[in-house]
Amino acid sequence: MTENIIQFPGKRVAAPLPTSQNGKARDESAATTKPPRRVSKPPSDGRRTNNPKSRSVEPNIQEMPGENGGCSYRVQIRKTVQGESVSFTKTFTKLAMAKKWKTRKLAEIEVHGVQTVSRKGDTVADAITARLAKHKHLGRSARQQLDWLKKSDFGERKLSELSLESLTDLADDMLAEERQPQTVAGYLTILVNTLHWASRRNFIIPVAALKEAMEHMWEDEIFARSEERDRRPAIAELDRILGAAVENKRQKIPLAKMIVFAIFSCRRLGEICRLRWEDLRIEQKKILVRDMKHPRKKKGNNVWCNLTDEALAIILSMPREGEFIFPFNAASVGTAWRRHRDRLKIKDLRYHDLRHEGITRLFEMGMPAAFVAKHSGHKNGGCLYRYEHVEEEGDKFAGWPWTKWAAGEGVSNLV
C-alpha cells in the first residue's frame, strides 16, 4: 500500500518510498542531485600557467598578456629522454610566427631526435668540458690549452655556427697576442680534434669546415715554423686602412685611433684593451701594462712602460667614461681590422705588425736598445736584436697627418 504525500502549511513531507522485491528502497534522489563540480586540469602538454591571465591558444602555445594591451606567444615543447626533461622554448610577438616555429621544431625532433636538436645551443666550451671530463688521461699541456680555449671569447661561440672564417679569425687573434705560429697550430690542432670527438657524441659541429680551415692555414703558411716576420706596413697601406675606418660610420670602435696608437705605443692588441686609467702616470709619461705576454708567466706579469709623446696624446684624447682607456673587446677590434684590410685587398698585414713597426721606428730614430726596451716592455735586451740592424734612418712618420688626427684634443692637454 502506497501512502500519499501529506501537505502541511509551509512544510511538505514525503511518504516512504516503495520497497523493491529484495527489500531495499530505490533511491531516486540521485537523479535530482547536482553532479560534482569539475576541477580544471592543467594543459595536457605539461605547460604551467603561472600567469592567471595567460591562456592556451593551442597545444604548446600560450598567449602571454603584456603591457599597453599587447601580448606575446610563448611556444614550449617538452620531451622526456632517459628520465630527463628537455624543453624547447621561444617567445614571439605574432601567433603565426609561433605556429611556424613550433611546426618546424616538431619536425626537427621527429627527424633528428630530441637529443640532437637540443644540442644546437651548445658552445665550444660545452664540447671542451665534455672531453675534459671524459678523458682524464690527457697530458698537462693539452689540458692547459683546452682550458684556455674554454675560457676565451671563442669558447662562447655556438658549435653549430662555426665556420672556416671563425677558426682563421681565432688564429689571427692568437697571433696578434704574439704567440708563435707553431704554438697557435698546437692549440688549434687539439681544438679541432676535440670538436671532432664531440661530433661523434651528438654535438652538432661542422667538422668538414674546420678541417678545411686547418688545411687552408697550413697552405697559406699561417702555421709557418718561422719565428720572425719581416712584414712592415707601407704609409700608403696605412692611409687606405685608416681612411676606410673613418669613413665607415657604422663602425662603433675607434679603429683608426687604435691603429695609430698601436704604432706609437709599441703595444699588442690585447694589452691595449687592458690599459686602465688608474695605471696612467701623465707626469712620468708611463703606464702599467697588466698581464704582459711572457713565455712562462701567463698572469700577473705587470710591467711599467714608457709612453712616447704621440701615444700619451692619443690616450688623453679618449673620453674617460670607465675603468679602461680603450674599453673594447680585443677580438672585435681584430675582426674590424681584418674586415677593412681584406676589403682593400691588402695582403699579409696583421695588427701585430703595427707593434713591430713601432719598435723598428724607435731604432731608426737612433734610440739605443735600453731606451726602446722601456717602451716595448722587453726585459731581455737580446730579444731586440732583430730590430737593431735597421737599413733606414730617421722618423718614417714625421709629418704624418694621422698622428695629429688621432691625438685630437689630447695635444693641447700636453701643453
Side-chain angles (χ1 to χ4, degrees):
M1 178 177 180
T2 305
E3 298 182 8
N4 295 325
I5 298 177
I6 303 174
Q7 300 285 346
F8 291 92
K11 196 173 186 180
R12 186 175 70 176
V13 180
L17 294 173
T19 58
S20 59
Q21 294 179 355
N22 58 7
K24 295 182 179 180
R26 183 170 57 89
D27 185 4
E28 294 182 5
S29 63
T32 59
T33 303
K34 293 183 180 181
R37 186 175 181 180
R38 296 181 62 185
V39 179
S40 60
K41 297 182 179 180
S44 60
D45 58 359
R47 288 175 285 108
R48 296 181 181 179
T49 54
N50 295 327
N51 189 342
K53 296 182 180 180
S54 65
R55 68 185 184 90
S56 178
V57 179
E58 64 175 59
N60 304 108
I61 300 181
Q62 195 82 4
E63 183 185 78
M64 312 296 293
E67 299 179 357
N68 302 324
C71 65
S72 59
Y73 299 91
R74 184 179 64 189
V75 185
Q76 189 171 47
I77 303 171
R78 288 180 177 173
K79 299 289 182 180
T80 301
V81 181
Q82 298 178 353
E84 294 185 3
S85 178
V86 180
S87 179
F88 304 92
T89 305
K90 195 173 180 65
T91 303
F92 299 88
T93 56
K94 295 183 179 180
L95 178 59
M97 297 170 62
K99 290 182 177 180
K100 185 176 180 180
W101 186 84
K102 168 192 166 182
T103 302
R104 185 174 68 251
K105 186 61 64 176
L106 289 173
E108 289 180 1
I109 294 173
E110 181 70 22
V111 175
H112 302 292
V114 176
Q115 287 182 317
T116 301
V117 175
S118 65
R119 289 291 190 185
K120 285 193 173 180
D122 286 338
T123 63
V124 173
D126 293 328
I128 293 175
T129 300
R131 189 181 184 194
L132 289 175
K134 191 72 174 178
H135 290 175
K136 304 291 186 181
H137 64 276
L138 283 174
R140 183 170 60 90
S141 178
R143 296 187 72 86
Q144 288 178 344
Q145 291 173 343
L146 289 175
D147 189 61
W148 183 89
L149 290 164
K150 173 184 173 181
K151 296 177 181 178
S152 69
D153 293 335
F154 189 80
E156 300 176 3
R157 287 179 176 264
K158 289 186 177 181
L159 292 170
S160 58
E161 298 175 358
L162 293 180
S163 63
L164 184 151
E165 290 77 13
S166 60
L167 206 62
T168 53
D169 286 350
L170 172 62
D172 279 344
D173 290 338
M174 295 180 71
L175 290 168
E177 291 287 336
E178 210 174 64
R179 285 185 174 86
Q180 298 299 334
Q182 60 268 31
T183 302
V184 177
Y187 272 79
L188 268 61
T189 298
I190 188 66
L191 171 64
V192 172
N193 288 341
T194 296
L195 296 180
H196 190 198
W197 173 88
S199 70
R200 299 193 297 272
R201 288 155 180 82
N202 293 327
F203 285 88
I204 300 177
I205 305 172
V207 177
L210 302 184
K211 289 184 176 181
E212 182 183 354
M214 293 296 288
E215 295 175 359
H216 165 78
M217 285 185 278
W218 280 114
E219 291 173 356
D220 288 1
E221 297 184 349
I222 294 177
F223 294 153
R225 299 295 175 179
S226 172
E227 297 185 0
E228 297 183 2
R229 273 178 63 84
D230 297 324
R231 179 68 160 95
R232 295 181 62 182
I235 291 291
E237 290 176 326
L238 292 173
D239 288 343
R240 293 174 62 199
I241 294 176
L242 292 169
V246 172
E247 291 175 2
N248 185 1
K249 303 303 180 183
R250 299 176 60 185
Q251 179 71 57
K252 302 301 182 183
I253 298 173
L255 179 62
K257 189 183 290 284
M258 295 182 73
I259 290 173
V260 179
F261 181 78
I263 296 173
F264 290 113
S265 67
C266 307
R267 298 266 61 83
R268 304 174 179 90
L269 176 55
E271 295 169 355
I272 293 174
C273 296
R274 290 195 297 270
L275 296 177
R276 308 184 185 206
W277 287 108
E278 64 177 320
D279 296 332
L280 176 65
R281 302 293 181 266
I282 299 177
E283 296 78 10
Q284 302 173 31
K285 292 185 180 180
K286 67 179 184 179
I287 193 168
L288 182 66
V289 180
R290 296 173 181 260
D291 297 328
M292 182 177 286
K293 183 180 180 296
H294 190 276
R296 292 176 301 278
K297 198 173 183 180
K298 303 300 182 183
K299 290 290 183 180
N301 184 40
N302 303 330
V303 180
W304 285 99
C305 294
N306 290 354
L307 292 167
T308 62
D309 290 342
E310 296 87 349
L312 180 57
I314 294 173
I315 287 178
L316 296 178
S317 73
M318 291 296 295
R320 192 162 185 166
E321 299 176 345
E323 178 182 3
F324 297 97
I325 298 173
F326 298 94
F328 308 100
N329 183 280
S332 300
V333 178
T335 299
W337 158 268
R338 289 188 296 272
R339 182 168 57 247
H340 288 84
R341 176 201 64 190
D342 295 343
R343 285 178 180 174
L344 297 171
K345 301 186 184 306
I346 296 176
K347 303 295 184 181
D348 190 35
L349 184 60
R350 303 173 186 169
Y351 194 95
H352 186 70
D353 294 331
L354 304 177
R355 165 177 160 86
H356 288 205
E357 180 66 27
I359 296 173
T360 303
R361 166 182 176 266
L362 295 178
F363 278 116
E364 289 177 342
M365 293 172 62
M367 302 301 178
F371 176 91
V372 176
K374 290 180 180 179
H375 288 76
S376 66
H378 286 96
K379 292 185 178 181
N380 183 359
C383 296
L384 295 172
Y385 77 94
R386 59 176 295 201
Y387 303 96
E388 291 182 285
H389 304 288
V390 295
E391 297 180 357
E392 300 179 9
E393 293 183 359
D395 186 1
K396 174 181 177 180
F397 295 94
W400 193 38
W402 286 105
T403 305
K404 291 185 178 180
W405 176 88
E409 297 296 327
V411 176
S412 61
N413 292 337
L414 291 174
V415 179

